[in-house]
């Protein structure tokens, strides 16, 4: 049966921040980015590293002009990545799927804000 896990008061998780909360034998990382909340198991599917303790980075894209010339690289802030601190695997913030191999993903949880409190549904 699903239960709600208290994460924080809303004011304790401002935009661009994360909070990691205990959940049984594991932890859950909760992010607020551009007003949206996301929650993932803090357990990397590669070798069990604490994925949610890593950097949150924008997708790096190569820019190719219409004439096929290389124009350099840019950050795409609409596709943020969670970067596991152990070996650098990256996961899309919006769905937890590994960028390099979609067979792997972080376990995603529903996260809700009720009044001025944030909860993960476990
Ligand atoms: S344990 Fe996360 S990248 Fe290896």
């Amino acid at each position: 049966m699903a239960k709600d896990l208290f994460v924080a008061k809303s004011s304790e998780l401002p935009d661009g921040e994360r909070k990691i909360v205990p959940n049984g034998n594991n932890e859950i990382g909760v992010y607020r980015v551009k007003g949206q909340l996301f929650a993932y198991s803090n357990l990397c599917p590669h070798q069990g590293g604490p994925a949610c303790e890593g950097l949150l980075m924008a997708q790096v894209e190569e820019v190719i002009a219409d004439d096929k010339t290389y124009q350099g690289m840019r950050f795409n802030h609409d596709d943020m990545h969670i970067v596991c601190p152990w070996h650098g695997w990256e996961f899309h913030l919006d769905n937890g799927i590994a960028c390099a191999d979609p067979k792997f993903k972080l376990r995603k949880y529903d996260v809700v804000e009720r009044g001025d409190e944030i909860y993960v549904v476990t």
Side-chain angles (χ1 to χ4, degrees), residues 7 13 18-22 27-31 42 50-54:
V7 175
L13 192 65
R18 97 194 68 178
K19 181 167 184 188
I20 296 174
V21 293
E27 296 172 321
I28 296 174
V30 183
Y31 300 80
N42 190 22
C52 298
E53 292 176 20

Side-chain angles (χ1 to χ4, degrees), residues 44-51 84-91:
C44 181
H46 177 218
Q47 291 183 359
C84 179
W86 278 13
H87 314 99
W89 278 31
E90 297 186 25
F91 303 89

Side-chain angles (χ1 to χ4, degrees), residues 3-121:
K3 69 179 172 68
D4 291 347
L5 175 69
F6 176 74
V7 175
K9 293 278 192 190
S10 297
S11 60
E12 295 168 343
L13 192 65
D15 209 69
E17 295 292 325
R18 97 194 68 178
K19 181 167 184 188
I20 296 174
V21 293
N23 177 42
N25 294 330
N26 192 13
E27 296 172 321
I28 296 174
V30 183
Y31 300 80
R32 190 196 299 272
V33 176
K34 294 183 181 174
Q36 262 190 285
L37 292 164
F38 304 91
Y40 293 102
S41 172
N42 190 22
L43 190 67
C44 181
H46 177 218
Q47 291 183 359
C52 298
E53 292 176 20
L55 294 173
L56 192 61
M57 284 186 56
Q59 159 90 22
V60 176
E61 296 176 341
E62 295 186 326
V63 182
I64 310 292
D66 290 344
D67 66 359
K68 309 284 188 229
T69 57
Y70 179 70
Q71 302 293 309
M73 298 174 124
R74 69 177 171 216
F75 289 111
N76 176 358
H77 291 273
D78 291 330
D79 184 7
M80 298 301 291
H81 294 177
I82 296 167
V83 185
C84 179
W86 278 13
H87 314 99
W89 278 31
E90 297 186 25
F91 303 89
H92 296 286
L93 175 67
D94 60 352
N95 57 24
I97 294 174
C99 302
D101 187 343
K103 285 197 308 285
F104 296 94
K105 60 184 174 185
L106 297 172
R107 180 175 175 189
K108 194 175 196 306
Y109 292 91
D110 290 331
V111 53
V112 294
E113 196 161 20
R114 271 192 226 109
D116 66 344
E117 297 181 334
I118 299 168
Y119 294 88
V120 166
V121 182

